[in-house]
Amino acid sequence: MEDFFRVGVISSTHGVHGEVKVFPTTEDAKRFKKLKDVLLDTGKERILLTIESVKFFKQFVILKFKDYNTIEAIQGYKGKELWIPREQALPLEEDEYYISDLIGLCVVSDTGERLGELVDVIQTGANDVYTVRMADGKEALFPAIAECVKSVDIEKGTMTVHVMEGLLDE
């Protein structure tokens, strides 16, 4: 399980007073209003930044960090990711999971057959789709719907699925 979650990526500077435009990678961009700090991943280290102000502009979040008061002080962070510790992540509803916790799960059928490993989650809007690398190396797509996904056990590292008719047809 991941200890940190990415909440945004700095896309550019905003103005001359050290503000940045952040593309949010979290479901609820408004959550930045509640955050006090974020970790900036420079590629070499993670720097703790204190959020001084938050504004919203189109699909972006405009952040101002404490002690970064000029465009020169912040411009080198363009393209860098912002992270928070897991304990600050948004709470989950019943039957919701963090994608990072699903990747790597062993996928088994409801008849007990080991099918493969969950390697990706595709977010379609209607429902997520799980990409499973099957035992033979091929990939299969399983819709994240109750008729297909019967149970998820993060602790045991397994997902049980019902292989619906036609799902594994080539």
Side-chain angles (χ1 to χ4, degrees):
M1 296 195 325
E2 301 238 351
D3 293 332
F4 296 91
F5 292 130
R6 186 178 69 168
V7 291
V9 178
I10 296 175
S11 64
S12 65
T13 57
H14 182 77
V16 295
H17 300 291
E19 291 179 311
V20 291
K21 253 191 234 182
V22 174
F23 180 77
T25 58
T26 178
E27 275 190 38
D28 182 11
K30 301 277 187 228
R31 73 181 326 255
F32 279 94
K33 286 276 195 193
K34 295 178 183 167
L35 292 175
K36 291 180 175 46
D37 303 296
V38 291
L39 289 166
L40 173 76
D41 187 346
T42 68
K44 296 178 183 168
E45 63 181 336
R46 285 191 174 169
I47 301 170
L48 184 67
L49 298 177
T50 301
I51 297 173
E52 203 170 87
S53 69
V54 179
K55 297 185 276 189
F56 301 95
F57 177 72
K58 297 185 180 178
Q59 78 268 29
F60 295 99
V61 180
I62 309 297
L63 296 180
K64 169 75 174 74
F65 300 114
K66 184 178 179 188
D67 299 328
Y68 289 83
N69 299 313
T70 66
I71 190 171
E72 292 82 14
I74 202 76
Q75 68 185 358
Y77 297 141
K78 181 179 175 183
K80 303 300 182 194
E81 298 176 343
L82 301 175
W83 296 75
I84 60 167
R86 174 182 276 276
E87 53 270 11
Q88 291 181 12
L90 293 171
L92 296 172
E93 300 290 325
E94 186 176 341
D95 293 330
E96 282 187 335
Y97 305 93
Y98 296 117
I99 290 173
S100 61
D101 292 344
L102 295 173
I103 303 297
L105 289 181
C106 176
V107 179
V108 297
S109 72
D110 52 3
T111 61
E113 177 187 1
R114 185 188 188 288
L115 299 175
E117 178 183 348
L118 195 146
V119 295
D120 195 15
V121 176
I122 303 165
Q123 297 179 294
T124 66
N127 58 267
D128 291 348
V129 177
Y130 299 145
T131 304
V132 176
R133 183 170 299 118
M134 305 297 280
D136 63 6
K138 295 180 182 176
E139 290 187 346
L141 301 176
F142 290 83
I145 57 176
E147 295 83 4
C148 184
V149 178
K150 295 304 179 185
S151 68
V152 175
D153 190 329
I154 299 295
E155 296 300 316
K156 290 183 180 174
T158 60
M159 174 184 290
T160 303
V161 297
H162 173 69
V163 180
M164 300 181 335
E165 190 174 328
L167 202 57
L168 297 180
D169 294 347
E170 294 193 30

